[in-house]
Amino acid sequence: MSSRSVPEIERGVKARGHGGLVRLRAALPGNARELVGEYERHLELERGLSAHTVRAYIGDVVSLLGFLHGVGNADGGEDGGEAAAEDVTALAGLDVGELRAWLAEQHQAGVSRTTLSRRAAAARTFTAWAHRVGKLERDPGSRLVAPRPHRMLPGVLRPEQAEQVMSASSAGAAERDPVALRDHALLELLYATGIRVSELCGLDVGDVEFDRRVVRVLGKGGKERTVPFGVPAEKALRSWLDEGRPVLVERVNGAAATALFLGVRGGRLDPRSVRRVVHDGVGSVPGAVDMGPHGLRHSAATHLLEGGADLRSVQELLGHATLATTQLYTHVTVERLKAIHDRTHPRAR
């Protein structure tokens, strides 16, 4: 087992952010670094995962291998240097006991159940791959059980609050300011379709089909789906494309020339800017829960189900890989119905 504890490794990485993770990865033994690189290419090229997802998987694997090899000094000091110099097999000694010890020390350090569950899943995915490609004789991750994460019900807007958000942004767009026109269009499209912020930012002008009122979205794993939108979103998008975008596109450099949504400097709009727009838009409605783009996605899914849509249709619209993810929204609607019942029924209490 590692001579340095997970809390020490975790503190070293957290204190230095992404740079700390890079240094911890560099301090791994040579064979382990090569293995991480091979796994990273598998995630990117064979599984087609997003850069954000790959970074999360690799971070967890680097933490695991750092624990396994006793590399806890993210500065690459004496402890890391000695471990890196050893001629060791990358996964020597990795069994279910080591996996449990890795998670147990994180638990003792105060890591949340949700994070532990995610890291256990990342470890299982990694060991299954390592076994499949012949790096491990057996798959120890298949015996690893982690605590179930607490499933928090996502905060959502009430339908009338969503209407107020759109009305407020429409009032701003009435001034015909290019940025206000853009913000109204992206708010309408996010709520109308329930697409992810990364999917929104990746849209090109050619992905919108006005004759069918649908948008082609490239989702997780490079999977494309077609999502419909309504008349309000159509009107907002047309106004943005006809009056707002031409003003900003003059500042564009070639790479973003096809982007549907542009920033004030003409480049493709980034997720951080979209989050700011959503926070500001929702914040203009008294009593509305603070949320970002994912909150609008939750709201759209909830309102679809409350309006009578079936789970399979909502699953397809949202681009969920499994129905289990979409079923979370049934809990949201049930909780809201219970709250309404408690508040209004004379025999509720």
Side-chain angles (χ1 to χ4, degrees):
M1 186 183 294
S2 166
S3 61
R4 291 182 62 85
S5 68
V6 166
E8 290 177 281
I9 295 173
E10 293 290 324
R11 283 196 296 271
V13 173
K14 287 181 179 178
R16 299 165 181 82
H18 179 65
L21 180 60
V22 170
R23 285 187 287 274
L24 178 58
R25 178 173 176 174
L28 292 172
N31 288 342
R33 292 198 304 273
E34 292 176 8
L35 183 66
V36 172
E38 187 177 342
Y39 184 55
E40 189 171 33
R41 290 189 291 275
H42 160 73
L43 296 175
E44 292 173 342
L45 303 178
E46 296 181 33
R47 293 191 56 186
L49 301 181
S50 70
H52 176 77
T53 302
V54 171
R55 190 161 53 248
Y57 270 105
I58 294 301
D60 292 336
V61 169
V62 167
S63 172
L64 171 61
L65 293 179
F67 175 75
L68 182 66
H69 293 289
V71 181
N73 189 341
D75 285 330
E78 182 179 352
D79 199 16
E82 289 179 358
E86 295 174 1
D87 183 16
V88 296
T89 303
L91 299 179
L94 182 60
D95 55 22
V96 70
E98 285 291 284
L99 291 173
R100 288 169 179 163
W102 175 61
L103 292 175
E105 291 212 19
Q106 293 178 68
H107 174 67
Q108 292 172 4
V111 174
S112 71
R113 287 166 60 98
T114 299
T115 301
L116 286 176
S117 179
R118 189 208 76 206
R119 291 182 178 175
R124 285 193 294 267
T125 302
F126 171 66
T127 59
W129 169 81
H131 174 60
R132 190 168 62 252
V133 298
K135 307 292 185 181
L136 283 170
E137 185 177 346
R138 297 181 181 84
D139 177 12
S142 63
R143 298 169 55 201
L144 181 65
V145 178
R148 285 180 173 271
H150 294 298
R151 302 210 74 177
M152 300 294 292
L153 294 177
V156 296
L157 297 171
R158 298 193 301 272
E160 62 271 20
Q161 289 176 326
E163 176 63 31
Q164 290 172 359
V165 171
M166 302 306 148
S167 295
S169 68
S170 177
E175 302 296 326
R176 317 323 286 173
D177 173 74
V179 174
L181 288 168
R182 180 204 66 190
D183 292 352
H184 179 50
L186 71 84
L187 283 169
E188 285 281 8
L189 191 62
L190 279 173
Y191 178 57
T193 60
I195 60 177
R196 303 175 178 93
V197 63
S198 59
E199 295 169 343
L200 179 93
C201 293
L203 290 174
D204 289 334
V205 174
D207 292 326
V208 181
E209 298 183 24
F210 284 108
D211 56 338
R212 295 197 297 153
R213 281 213 304 270
V214 297
V215 60
R216 293 191 307 275
V217 178
L218 190 64
K220 289 186 175 182
K223 297 178 181 178
E224 185 177 289
R225 68 185 189 280
T226 301
V227 186
F229 56 83
V231 173
E234 177 190 7
K235 292 179 178 177
L237 281 170
R238 287 190 183 277
S239 295
W240 155 243
L241 290 173
D242 293 342
E243 304 175 53
R245 191 176 182 279
V247 177
L248 298 185
V249 80
E250 294 178 359
R251 312 167 190 170
V252 80
N253 51 29
T258 61
L260 177 60
F261 292 109
L262 304 175
V264 293
R265 294 183 177 85
R268 184 179 291 272
L269 194 63
D270 61 85
R272 181 179 299 179
S273 298
V274 178
R275 292 188 185 97
R276 176 185 52 76
V277 171
V278 176
H279 280 297
D280 291 346
V282 174
S284 68
V285 177
V289 60
D290 183 39
M291 64 176 58
H294 212 64
L296 281 186
R297 178 173 164 86
H298 288 317
S299 299
T302 301
H303 298 165
L304 282 166
L305 288 170
E306 289 179 341
D310 63 273
L311 271 176
R312 288 288 182 186
S313 297
V314 176
Q315 177 192 4
E316 186 172 346
L317 288 170
L318 297 181
H320 285 157
T322 65
L323 192 61
T325 306
T326 316
Q327 285 175 329
L328 171 64
Y329 296 105
T330 63
H331 301 307
V332 178
T333 55
V334 168
E335 289 299 316
R336 292 185 65 178
L337 286 172
K338 286 171 62 180
I340 293 170
H341 182 272
D342 289 346
R343 190 172 63 249
T344 61
H345 197 284
R347 304 289 290 179
R349 298 182 183 278

